[in-house]
């Protein structure tokens, strides 16, 4: 069984720096695959791990595919750095190569480990009737032509990889193949509030064993310590956040206000009010220029809600890991985070309870820490959802 260590430390505590130090100091016989969300972090690892020659997969091969390059690098026993998006294309051949190779995995931030597959229920019934698939429990098993190249090819490939699930008779769910994690000798995951993240529920569903550590800086050396949330001094950190409390929050009074469903169904007057609130907050209350802000809402509403003078400063509501905005002073989160109902139902129907509040708090904190608070500097925050403000305060009081 793979030894999985969750390095659960608050943003800015030095998780990536510890990983770089660990790879620099490791015996040369230990081989690494480092997976990160961003190309900037790929470059950082290549430049910072000075005692090794980390290589990045490319498409300069006969297949013109980075996955083929990744496999070639594994055969060469190379130290490898790449992005989440490539790692998520893992197939059975990659699993076989990894199982034989003895790599250590370092995963910088959680991945998208499940997602709904857009397939009509009628197509599923047609495949079942024809005998091309069977559903064993809720797992989809491909029984048809193993080289089927029809419009059902995507379903065939996912089912053959063993990571396709038919759920509640309505939809298919793709799950990252757990065999990939089991193929590593050791695995480290660098994140924060892992208990509130979907990858934790994925590990529980597939019965992975994992342990928790944190990181601290001792002099000039980073070291792993026992996981202790109270060592984070959350109360002191919370004092760095000037959390807006005034009439602009009226738009988020209801507990479900500003959720995805609420925003999609909001009328023109509500959307206009949100847009005006954003402008008022940044211009008159925070008093900051465009390059000193970022804000977030439901992606499809970013353009209509963008306040005059602050367009182009929206970022995804689930932003994490990037340091691009670490000088930003004023931020606004016009969203009320709930899990995708299909994702939640998928886990809970498989016996894993999803902590909805911890999930929302985890995403919010990752988003807040894209700002200059990660540098220990104060920030201004407009958080109109009454529920999300309550979760932020609960985190500060160690209630999450």
């Amino acid at each position: 069984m793979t030894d999985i260590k969750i390095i659960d430390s608050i943003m800015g505590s030095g998780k990536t720096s510890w990983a770089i130090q660990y790879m620099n100091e490791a015996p040369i016989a230990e081989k690494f695959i480092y997976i990160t969300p961003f190309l900037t972090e790929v470059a950082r690892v290549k430049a910072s791990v000075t005692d090794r020659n980390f290589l990045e997969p490319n498409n300069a091969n006969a297949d013109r595919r980075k996955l083929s390059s990744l496999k070639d690098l594994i055969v060469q026993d190379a130290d490898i750095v790449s992005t989440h998006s490539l790692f998520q294309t893992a197939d059975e051949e990659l699993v076989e190569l990894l199982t034989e190779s003895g790599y250590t995995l370092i995963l910088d931030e959680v991945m998208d480990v499940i997602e709904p597959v857009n397939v009509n229920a009628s197509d599923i019934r047609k495949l079942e009737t024809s005998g091309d698939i069977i559903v064993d429990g809720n797992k989809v098993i491909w029984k048809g032509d193993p080289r089927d190249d029809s419009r059902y090819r995507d379903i065939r490939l996912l089912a053959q990889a063993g990571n396709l699930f038919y759920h509640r008779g309505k939809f298919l769910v793709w799950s990252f193949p757990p065999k990939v994690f089991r193929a590593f000798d050791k695995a480290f995951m660098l994140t924060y509030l892992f208990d509130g993240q979907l990858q934790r529920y994925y590990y529980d569903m597939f019965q992975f064993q994992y342990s928790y550590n944190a990181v601290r800086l001792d002099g000039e050396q980073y070291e792993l310590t026992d996981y202790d949330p109270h060592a984070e001094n959350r109360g002191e950190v919370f004092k760095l956040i000037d959390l807006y409390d005034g009439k602009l929050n009226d738009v988020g009074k209801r507990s479900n206000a500003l959720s995805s469903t609420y925003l999609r169904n909001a009328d023109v007057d509500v959307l206009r009010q949100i847009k005006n609130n954003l402008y008022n907050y940044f211009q008159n209350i925070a008093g900051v220029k465009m390059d000193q802000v970022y804000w977030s809402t439901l992606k499809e509403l970013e353009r209509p809600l963008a306040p005059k003078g602050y367009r182009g400063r929206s970022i995804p509501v689930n932003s994490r890991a990037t340091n691009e905005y670490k000088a930003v002073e004023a931020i606004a989160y016009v969203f009320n985070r709930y899990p995708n109902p299909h994702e939640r139902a998928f886990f809970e129907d498989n016996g894993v309870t999803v902590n909805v509040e911890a999930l929302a708090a985890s995403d919010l904190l990752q988003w807040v820490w894209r700002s200059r608070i990660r540098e220990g500097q104060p920030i201004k925050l407009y958080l109109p959802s009454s529920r999300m403000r309550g979760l932020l305060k609960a985190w500060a009081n160690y209630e999450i």
Side-chain angles (χ1 to χ4, degrees):
M1 178 62 71
T2 306
D3 175 21
I4 301 178
K5 290 187 182 295
I6 311 300
I7 314 303
D8 196 319
S9 278
I10 197 167
M11 291 70 67
S13 60
K15 296 186 292 292
T16 304
S17 296
W18 169 83
I20 289 170
Q21 173 187 292
Y22 178 83
M23 291 185 289
N24 272 322
E25 295 177 350
I28 198 64
E30 186 172 1
K31 299 173 295 184
F32 292 95
I33 294 181
Y34 191 101
I35 303 295
T36 178
F38 298 106
L39 290 172
T40 52
E41 291 300 291
V42 168
R44 177 185 176 187
V45 168
K46 291 172 72 173
S48 301
V49 184
T50 55
D51 292 343
R52 295 172 180 269
N53 181 28
F54 267 84
L55 299 178
E56 182 181 355
N58 59 63
N59 57 9
N61 53 67
D63 296 335
R64 305 294 295 171
R65 298 179 66 208
K66 286 188 176 182
L67 183 60
S68 296
S69 175
L70 174 60
K71 294 172 182 176
D72 290 342
L73 291 175
I74 290 171
V75 171
Q76 296 169 31
D77 289 333
D79 289 304
I80 302 164
V81 59
S82 189
T83 59
H84 284 188
S85 57
L86 175 59
F87 196 55
Q88 285 171 310
T89 64
D91 59 15
E92 196 69 30
E93 183 182 15
L94 181 66
V95 172
E96 291 177 6
L97 289 171
L98 288 171
T99 301
E100 300 294 326
S101 300
Y103 272 90
T104 294
L105 170 68
I106 299 183
L107 183 60
D108 189 357
E109 275 307 335
V110 293
M111 296 174 15
D112 292 330
V113 287
I114 68 163
E115 61 184 46
V117 178
N118 187 21
V119 179
N120 291 330
S122 61
D123 286 337
I124 301 303
R125 290 193 296 270
K126 190 178 298 183
L127 288 169
E128 282 190 285
T129 301
S130 67
D132 285 318
I133 64 170
I134 62 170
V135 180
D136 183 7
N138 66 346
K139 188 173 183 178
V140 179
I141 299 173
W142 184 264
K143 290 292 187 178
D145 181 354
R147 295 180 178 81
D148 184 288
D149 203 29
S150 70
R151 64 191 181 95
Y152 302 118
R153 181 175 180 273
D154 289 347
I155 294 176
R156 171 180 67 80
L157 291 172
L158 291 170
Q160 287 175 326
N163 54 346
L164 191 63
F165 299 85
Y166 190 35
H167 192 64
R168 294 190 178 185
K170 294 181 180 178
F171 56 89
L172 289 168
V173 176
W174 168 84
S175 168
F176 185 78
K179 290 180 182 178
V180 176
F181 287 111
R182 294 194 173 103
F184 288 95
D185 285 7
K186 292 190 291 186
F188 298 93
M189 176 179 292
L190 317 178
T191 189
Y192 182 58
L193 287 186
F194 182 66
D195 280 351
Q197 297 174 10
L198 291 182
Q199 193 158 343
R200 183 274 171 85
Y201 309 130
Y202 166 92
Y203 278 172
D204 289 347
M205 175 179 162
F206 289 107
Q207 300 181 329
F208 283 95
Q209 300 297 312
Y210 50 88
S211 59
Y212 290 82
N213 285 101
V215 168
R216 73 173 183 182
L217 182 60
D218 184 9
E220 296 183 355
Q221 284 286 109
Y222 290 93
E223 63 180 21
L224 294 186
T225 65
D226 292 337
Y227 174 68
D228 178 12
H230 289 274
E232 296 167 7
N233 297 317
R234 294 180 185 178
E236 292 302 311
V237 174
F238 186 66
K239 290 178 182 177
L240 294 173
I241 303 174
D242 181 4
L243 182 62
Y244 173 79
D245 182 18
K247 285 187 66 63
L248 299 185
N249 286 336
D250 288 352
V251 73
K253 278 184 176 180
R254 286 167 44 185
S255 62
N256 72 326
L258 306 178
S259 66
S260 295
T261 301
Y262 179 96
L263 287 168
R264 289 189 177 107
N265 294 326
D267 60 31
V268 172
D269 290 338
V270 170
L271 296 179
R272 183 184 299 115
Q273 185 63 61
I274 293 172
K275 182 175 182 176
N276 291 341
N277 286 357
L278 282 167
Y279 177 83
N280 193 1
Y281 178 73
F282 287 137
Q283 183 70 25
N284 301 318
I285 296 171
V288 289
K289 297 180 180 179
M290 186 177 72
D291 63 352
Q292 278 299 302
V293 314
Y294 64 75
W295 63 278
S296 292
T297 191
L298 189 66
K299 184 173 180 57
E300 62 210 61
L301 293 177
E302 287 177 353
R303 180 171 293 181
L305 291 183
K308 183 179 179 181
Y310 298 95
R311 294 186 176 94
R313 297 300 294 178
S314 60
I315 68 173
V317 293
N318 59 350
S319 293
R320 58 176 66 224
T322 179
N323 294 325
E324 185 178 349
Y325 304 96
K326 64 181 181 180
V328 165
E329 175 184 352
I331 58 179
Y333 192 81
V334 187
F335 194 61
N336 189 359
R337 171 73 161 102
Y338 286 95
N340 179 303
H342 294 329
E343 293 174 347
R344 180 180 179 183
F346 175 69
F347 284 119
E348 294 187 346
D349 284 2
N350 281 283
V352 177
T353 301
V354 174
N355 186 330
V356 175
E357 307 297 77
L359 176 65
S362 174
D363 277 3
L364 173 64
L365 288 161
Q366 289 282 356
W367 180 90
V368 168
W369 253 259
R370 300 312 101 214
S371 70
R372 71 180 194 177
I373 196 172
R374 67 182 299 108
E375 305 292 319
Q377 298 183 55
I379 61 167
K380 300 178 177 70
L381 171 60
Y382 175 45
L383 187 61
S385 165
S386 60
R387 171 176 172 261
M388 297 301 288
R389 286 198 308 279
L391 292 177
L392 181 60
K393 292 172 183 176
W395 167 82
N397 291 322
Y398 298 96
E399 295 166 10
I400 290 179

